[in-house]
Amino acid sequence: MAVPSGPSGLDFRALRRREQGLSAVINAVLSAVFFAIVFGLSARPLTMASPDRFALDFVPQGVMVSLMASLVPTLLVRAKLRGIGLATPASVAGIVLRGVACGVASALVLAGLALFGPLHEVPSHPALAFKVVYGALLGLACTRLAVSFLFDRTLKEQAA
């Protein structure tokens, strides 16, 4: 983003970094929890296709992580901006849809690579580590995209 702070002196970069960090941690933890619920924590091989469908698990993970990583930080930051008197976009739907589209696209690519790649199964513990890192990075990326777009829109509102 070109402008490090807004008209009120709010440090947009620091706020965005904070939201990205929180999103990464929360989505890493949630990814681990849902992995444990779906696949368990015992050491075993997980098949990419049937019966475990590990590859396809990237799709619901990508949808949920991108949705929450776009929606929640956007609403929280928008409330903070409004609280200090900055005009923000009336709707965040476009911002959230943009983040979800990126998350779904990345999930579909990963699912396709995993499903049609050379591996037919993976050990569960490295799979868990990969899902946790993927959840954290996807959460960070979607939050960055959404919050940056919100800041851009807010600055345009201020200039108008």
Side-chain angles (χ1 to χ4, degrees):
M1 184 158 82
V3 179
S5 64
S8 67
L10 179 67
D11 186 346
F12 284 170
R13 287 184 193 163
L15 183 56
R16 183 178 62 199
R17 278 193 306 270
R18 178 181 171 273
E19 291 301 324
Q20 286 175 204
L22 285 171
S23 181
V25 170
I26 290 168
N27 284 297
V29 170
L30 290 175
S31 293
V33 168
F34 282 100
F35 183 95
I37 291 169
V38 172
F39 299 110
L41 293 176
S42 63
R44 67 182 181 93
L46 296 175
T47 57
M48 293 295 174
S50 193
D52 295 314
R53 292 175 172 57
F54 178 71
L56 297 178
D57 189 60
F58 285 101
V59 176
Q61 180 185 19
V63 170
M64 291 312 299
V65 166
S66 62
L67 175 63
M68 298 314 290
S70 298
L71 178 65
V72 174
T74 298
L75 292 175
L76 291 173
V77 170
R78 186 174 78 160
K80 183 174 203 105
L81 294 173
R82 284 183 172 179
I84 60 172
L86 294 176
T88 62
S91 171
V92 297
I95 296 170
V96 172
L97 286 175
R98 190 174 281 192
V100 171
C102 288
V104 170
S106 78
L108 290 172
V109 167
L110 272 176
L113 290 172
L115 193 57
F116 300 110
L119 298 176
H120 297 289
E121 63 182 36
V122 292
S124 59
H125 292 150
L128 169 60
F130 186 81
K131 294 287 266 178
V132 168
V133 170
Y134 171 67
L137 291 176
L138 183 60
L140 185 145
C142 290
T143 297
R144 180 176 180 86
L145 177 70
V147 171
S148 293
F149 191 66
L150 175 64
F151 288 156
D152 289 345
R153 296 277 306 272
T154 300
L155 290 174
K156 286 179 185 172
E157 296 279 333
Q158 291 302 114

